[in-house]
């Protein structure tokens, strides 16, 4: 069996203008412990997945942006941090 070649990453990063809204959204995502790069990558993949799903379901015409999108979150039992205020 032939050895597989390692996957090469694209050499150039994506650059976006930063606004207060972008920085606020990025800060929110990074509260999970992600790096900036991981947060941006997840956000792009998440939106792309939602768009692909909407297009394939016929909810909106292909290659268009919906006026609104909704996320359904399943509740999970995660222990809350201990309140350390005095």
């Amino acid at each position: 069996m032939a050895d597989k070649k390692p996957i090469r990453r694209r050499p150039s990063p994506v650059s976006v203008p930063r606004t207060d809204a972008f920085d606020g959204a990025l800060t929110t995502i990074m509260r999970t412990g992600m790096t900036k790069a991981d947060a941006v990558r997840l956000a792009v993949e998440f939106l792309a997945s939602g768009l692909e799903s909407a297009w394939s379901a016929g909810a909106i015409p292909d290659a268009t942006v919906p006026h609104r999108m909704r996320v359904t979150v399943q509740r999970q039992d995660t222990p809350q941090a201990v309140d350390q205020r005095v």
Side-chain angles (χ1 to χ4, degrees):
M1 182 173 5
D3 291 333
K4 291 184 179 181
K5 291 184 179 181
I7 297 172
R8 301 180 94 190
R9 292 183 175 223
R10 290 182 173 82
S12 60
V14 174
S15 177
V16 296
R18 291 177 63 175
T19 62
D20 289 341
F22 177 87
D23 286 346
L26 184 59
T27 298
T28 297
I29 298 170
M30 290 177 62
R31 286 177 56 194
T32 64
M34 289 184 208
T35 64
K36 286 180 185 177
D38 288 340
V40 171
R41 190 175 300 112
L42 175 66
V44 170
E45 291 170 354
F46 185 78
L47 179 59
S49 174
L51 290 171
E52 288 287 346
S53 178
W55 295 334
S56 66
I60 57 172
D62 188 58
T64 62
V65 178
H67 296 289
R68 274 188 240 161
M69 290 179 75
R70 180 176 74 180
V71 175
T72 303
V73 178
Q74 184 177 15
R75 186 175 197 80
Q76 71 183 51
D77 295 323
T78 304
Q80 297 296 314
V82 175
D83 187 354
Q84 298 180 350
R85 292 180 285 181
V86 177

